[in-house]
């Protein structure tokens, strides 16, 4: 999907939330746009909006999955976003049990 077409569907943060919530049935899902912290970054200097995000997600679908597999699940779900301008993604992916211990 081209970035212009993507903008018609709402903000990148909203699309990220919708895709992750739908597929991973998250009990906690936080998506924070931190693009402004990367203004002037060489790879995104011409498009500093909606390029860098922090994601915190708690999902039962992460049960039994390694951290690498959890991250891969998230990246696979956001493939279109990565192809249309999403430059960087920081992911915290936990199971409900792991989140309960850290709260």
């Amino acid at each position: 999907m081209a970035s212009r077409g993507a903008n018609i569907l709402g903000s990148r943060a909203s699309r990220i939330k919708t895709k992750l919530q739908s597929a991973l049935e998250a009990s906690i899902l936080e998506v924070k746009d931190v693009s402004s912290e990367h203004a002037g970054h060489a790879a995104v200097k011409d498009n500093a909006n909606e390029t860098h995000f922090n994601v915190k997600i708690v999902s039962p679908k992460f049960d039994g999955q390694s951290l690498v597999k959890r991250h891969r699940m998230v990246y696979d779900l956001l493939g279109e976003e990565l192809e249309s301008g999403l430059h960087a993604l920081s992911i915290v992916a936990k199971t409900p049990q792991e989140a309960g211990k850290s709260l």
Side-chain angles (χ1 to χ4, degrees):
M1 175 185 297
S3 58
R4 284 187 187 174
N7 288 337
I8 294 170
L9 300 174
S11 74
R12 187 178 309 274
S14 294
R15 292 190 309 272
I16 290 171
K17 282 182 181 179
T18 299
K19 290 174 184 180
L20 296 178
Q21 182 64 51
S22 175
L24 298 175
E25 302 168 3
S27 57
I28 296 173
L29 178 56
E30 297 173 9
V31 178
K32 183 177 178 186
D33 184 349
V34 294
S35 302
S36 62
E37 297 172 18
H38 300 275
H41 186 264
V44 293
K45 63 182 174 185
D46 294 331
N47 181 19
N49 295 323
E50 297 190 311
T51 56
H52 292 68
F53 286 85
N54 293 344
V55 173
K56 177 180 177 183
I57 184 167
V58 176
S59 170
K61 297 212 175 183
F62 294 148
D63 283 334
Q65 302 296 322
S66 69
L67 187 56
V68 171
K69 287 185 180 182
R70 296 174 193 188
H71 283 220
R72 193 172 298 142
M73 290 167 73
V74 172
Y75 279 112
D76 287 348
L77 290 166
L78 300 179
E80 280 186 354
E81 299 300 333
L82 289 161
E83 292 174 5
S84 67
L86 176 57
H87 176 71
L89 193 59
S90 171
I91 303 168
V92 174
K94 296 184 177 187
T95 67
Q97 295 78 19
E98 291 167 341
K101 292 177 186 173
S102 66
L103 294 178

